Amino acid sequence: MQENTGIKFLVLIILLFIAGYLSLFFAGSESITVSELSLNNFIFWQIRFPKTLTAILAGSTLSAAGLILQIIFRNPLAGPYVLGISSGASLMVSLSILAGGSLNLLSNFFIGKSFIVVSAIAGSVLVTTLILAISKKVNSSVILLLIGLMISQICGALQIGLEYFSDATSLKSFVTWGMGSLANTTNFDLLIFLPIALISLLALLFFIKPLNALLLGENYSQNIGVNFNSSRFYLIFISSVLTGLTTAFCGPIAFVGIAVPILSRMIFKSSKQQLHLASCILLGSIILLFSDTLANTLIKNISLPINMLTTFIGAPLVIYLMFKNKSW
Amino acid sequence: MENKPCIEFKNITLGYKKTGETISILKNINLSFFEGDLIGIVGLNGVGKSTLIKSLSGLLPVLKGEILIDEKPISNYNLNELAKKIAIVLTEKIGGFNLTAFDVVSAGQMPYTNSFNKLSSHNLEIIDAAISTCGIAEHQNKLLYELSDGLFQKTIIAKALAQQTPIMLLDEPSAFLDFASKHELFLLLKKLTEEQKKCVLVSSHDLDLILKYCTKLLVISTTKVELISSSEAKTNATFKEIGGRFI
């Protein structure tokens, strides 16, 4: 069993390199060969590189957030997108772009971006807390999913309302960003995106015990020495930072957060959450990198929305799980 | 009999707060429990058996008075210290997320592992011992939902054993078990108190089993809380009141 785990991780790491290579050199209107690569290759350094790194960051953060949410809710059908948390973050991003524009906050790059990121995180925290409060009243994971869907619809409706009040340029950025995209992140954005994502993911190393204990529920985790309420509070905060951060830069990315932890549990028949954390980071990156490559190569000269690909991977998995009344 | 009690109730009132209102269930109780005791907690539904177990395990704060564990107030323990003193077995179902019987039992060693929850060979020895004591060795790699109710209950008891605590609390562990499993369960508890000198408190509605296996009875009625030895149970008025008259 131990040997298998090692081999599986090795395969994932190799896949990550392949997916990264494909995304860097082929995911666009023209392919670049390694021999042509130079320091002043504009397409490579200004377009492909930030997009590939963004795919890795978005895949890691959303999958880790999904894993945390599934543990907190003890529900394998939880995830930042399906519970409406991404929508809450999106709505706050739109609000902050509008408010930031009128308050003249956005003229400075770092202040503007930070303002948007903090708003997105606040949106995630709000929706997660709301869903958690509701989850105490319902004990069915499917009903929780429906409530998440409704919250996401409400946020969407508010977002449409906001778009009416925005001018043409911000409207266009709202719409393209609202569809979810890995291509809007610049190298400058990455200066904010990368460190916060890394710190949040590393912070999870301090929560290995709680992540494992919380699966046993409130009473048993307290009884084996893990403070349930405070661990849950910090974990909700970290998952909200991970979701809000990625949503601020990429918009809502569908189904990665719910599907990757499920896949991870299917591949590694383990309940060790430290193992799943590592594999979710790898798997999430691989899936978004492949999705990005496919989105840019399936139809020549056309770049498909990334959410189209991730939905095709994620949604069938969720349906399969609902039929198979067995919790992964 | 040991001279020092491992659990002492000092004039405690138990209950819970519900929408700002305080509901007290058990009032002004003074009791002591000792190592090697197998105590059956009996009483009608809603009388406060679960509240007692939750308060005693520190999951619910007591309303008044003090519970002493090894002569130290329960409120002075931090969670990890308390996890090494008291282990609980509750009625709630857990499962999913690839959790196997082994995983649950090994969670019992969590108070003793480092912050990465790495199991040393010493931790593994204790887990294996708990598994074999409860007789679930051949089922340890099964997923939780594949286990019968009896095996599931034994798994949770093995988790409690792996916690290496002097005190074990069980809330209606026999509720969903078949006849044979009920007896096996109580035999196991008896073995733990006799061989490992644990203090075990177990609530149950199976009065006949409690009478047969427990050394003492904690009889709870709406008006009274009494700790009696099982030999005097049949003549005890409170025990008769809560259903003992039918035995």
Side-chain angles (χ1 to χ4, degrees), chain A residues 209 220 223 270-271 326, chain B residues 88 90 103 110 113 145 163:
Chain A
K209 260 191 184 184
Y220 284 129
N223 185 240
S270 164
S271 73
K326 183 169 101 166
Chain B
I88 55 169
L90 303 173
D103 296 333
M110 206 180 272
T113 59
Y145 67 86
Q163 264 176 269

Side-chain angles (χ1 to χ4, degrees), chain A residues 1 67 70-71 73-77 205-210 212-213 215-228 264-266 268-274 276 325-328, chain B residues 54 57-59 79-80 82-84 86-100 103-104 107-119 143-145 153 156 159 163:
Chain A
M1 189 176 143
L67 181 71
Q70 294 182 357
I71 292 170
F73 288 100
R74 283 208 283 161
N75 180 349
L77 293 179
L205 290 178
F206 294 100
F207 291 91
I208 301 288
K209 260 191 184 184
N212 284 295
L215 282 183
L216 308 180
E218 176 169 2
N219 291 328
Y220 284 129
S221 48
Q222 293 268 111
N223 185 240
I224 50 176
V226 169
N227 191 323
F228 182 81
S264 174
R265 283 193 290 274
M266 288 168 124
F268 298 93
K269 305 255 181 272
S270 164
S271 73
K272 281 201 184 86
Q273 299 311 316
Q274 54 272 47
H276 287 300
N325 198 16
K326 183 169 101 166
S327 33
W328 285 99
Chain B
K54 284 198 168 169
S57 58
L59 293 172
L79 270 180
N80 215 55
L82 200 58
K84 295 174 182 177
I86 299 172
I88 55 169
V89 175
L90 303 173
T91 44
E92 58 188 56
K93 271 276 176 190
I94 49 175
F97 292 92
N98 291 342
L99 282 168
T100 63
D103 296 333
V104 173
Q109 272 288 300
M110 206 180 272
Y112 303 89
T113 59
N114 65 15
S115 58
F116 293 105
N117 200 32
K118 177 141 180 55
L119 295 171
L143 295 170
L144 288 182
Y145 67 86
Q153 205 59 260
I156 304 290
K159 182 240 35 150
Q163 264 176 269

Side-chain angles (χ1 to χ4, degrees), chain B residues 36-38 129-136 157 161 168 183-200 213-215:
Chain B
D37 278 351
L38 176 54
I131 284 173
S132 65
T133 306
C134 294
I136 53 166
I157 293 172
L161 257 185
M168 201 188 272
H183 281 272
E184 279 176 23
L185 174 95
F186 273 94
L187 279 170
L188 174 62
L189 297 180
K190 197 171 170 221
K191 188 167 96 176
L192 295 178
T193 50
E194 283 172 359
E195 289 174 8
Q196 304 192 11
K197 289 283 161 234
K198 283 183 192 292
C199 171
V200 177
Y213 295 107
C214 291
T215 54

Side-chain angles (χ1 to χ4, degrees), chain A residues 292-323:
Chain A
D292 174 52
T293 310
L294 283 177
N296 284 293
T297 50
L298 274 181
I299 304 174
K300 205 170 164 41
N301 290 331
I302 285 187
S303 168
L304 297 168
I306 191 82
N307 274 344
M308 207 184 113
L309 277 298
T310 55
T311 304
F312 269 116
I313 299 168
L317 249 181
V318 174
I319 295 171
Y320 168 79
L321 256 196
M322 282 174 156
F323 272 110

Side-chain angles (χ1 to χ4, degrees), chain B:
Chain B
M1 189 73 56
E2 314 289 323
N3 42 13
K4 283 179 190 165
C6 55
I7 307 171
E8 219 178 330
F9 287 4
K10 279 208 165 152
N11 201 23
I12 57 161
T13 299
L14 303 178
Y16 49 89
K17 289 199 171 84
K18 199 177 167 187
T19 56
E21 205 181 339
T22 309
I23 299 164
S24 39
I25 296 176
L26 306 169
K27 283 178 192 157
N28 306 320
I29 322 167
N30 289 289
L31 288 171
S32 296
F33 304 103
F34 297 88
E35 286 178 359
D37 278 351
L38 176 54
I39 301 134
I41 306 173
V42 291
L44 301 176
N45 284 331
V47 82
K49 299 189 297 293
S50 297
T51 306
L52 178 84
I53 285 177
K54 284 198 168 169
S55 306
L56 188 44
S57 58
L59 293 172
L60 263 183
V62 295
L63 297 178
K64 221 181 76 190
E66 212 143 41
I67 297 177
L68 304 181
I69 306 291
D70 282 343
E71 302 180 309
K72 183 173 150 185
I74 202 165
S75 48
N76 289 4
Y77 282 92
N78 70 34
L79 270 180
N80 215 55
E81 284 169 357
L82 200 58
K84 295 174 182 177
K85 289 287 180 194
I86 299 172
I88 55 169
V89 175
L90 303 173
T91 44
E92 58 188 56
K93 271 276 176 190
I94 49 175
F97 292 92
N98 291 342
L99 282 168
T100 63
F102 176 85
D103 296 333
V104 173
V105 182
S106 58
Q109 272 288 300
M110 206 180 272
Y112 303 89
T113 59
N114 65 15
S115 58
F116 293 105
N117 200 32
K118 177 141 180 55
L119 295 171
S120 67
S121 57
H122 176 70
N123 297 136
L124 285 169
E125 266 170 38
I126 289 153
I127 292 162
D128 283 342
I131 284 173
S132 65
T133 306
C134 294
I136 53 166
E138 69 262 45
H139 307 285
Q140 58 177 310
N141 292 322
K142 284 188 183 163
L143 295 170
L144 288 182
Y145 67 86
E146 295 171 335
L147 300 174
S148 65
D149 288 335
L151 282 173
F152 179 81
Q153 205 59 260
K154 283 181 187 170
T155 305
I156 304 290
I157 293 172
K159 182 240 35 150
L161 257 185
Q163 264 176 269
Q164 298 177 288
T165 56
I167 301 162
M168 201 188 272
L169 310 172
L170 302 94
D171 192 11
E172 298 192 26
S174 59
F176 300 103
L177 304 186
D178 55 52
F179 185 77
S181 304
K182 282 183 185 190
H183 281 272
E184 279 176 23
L185 174 95
F186 273 94
L187 279 170
L188 174 62
L189 297 180
K190 197 171 170 221
K191 188 167 96 176
L192 295 178
T193 50
E194 283 172 359
E195 289 174 8
Q196 304 192 11
K197 289 283 161 234
K198 283 183 192 292
C199 171
V200 177
L201 283 95
V202 49
S203 77
S204 176
H205 289 298
D206 293 306
L207 298 183
D208 47 342
L209 291 175
I210 296 265
L211 272 185
K212 183 172 166 145
Y213 295 107
C214 291
T215 54
K216 289 179 185 170
L217 272 69
L218 184 64
V219 191
I220 307 174
S221 77
T222 45
T223 50
K224 249 186 184 172
V225 178
E226 275 185 78
L227 185 64
I228 56 174
S229 77
S230 42
S231 54
E232 56 183 319
K234 287 202 168 170
T235 56
N236 181 281
T238 323
F239 183 66
K240 281 183 183 169
E241 184 196 327
I242 60 119
R245 61 187 183 277
F246 298 112
I247 293 179

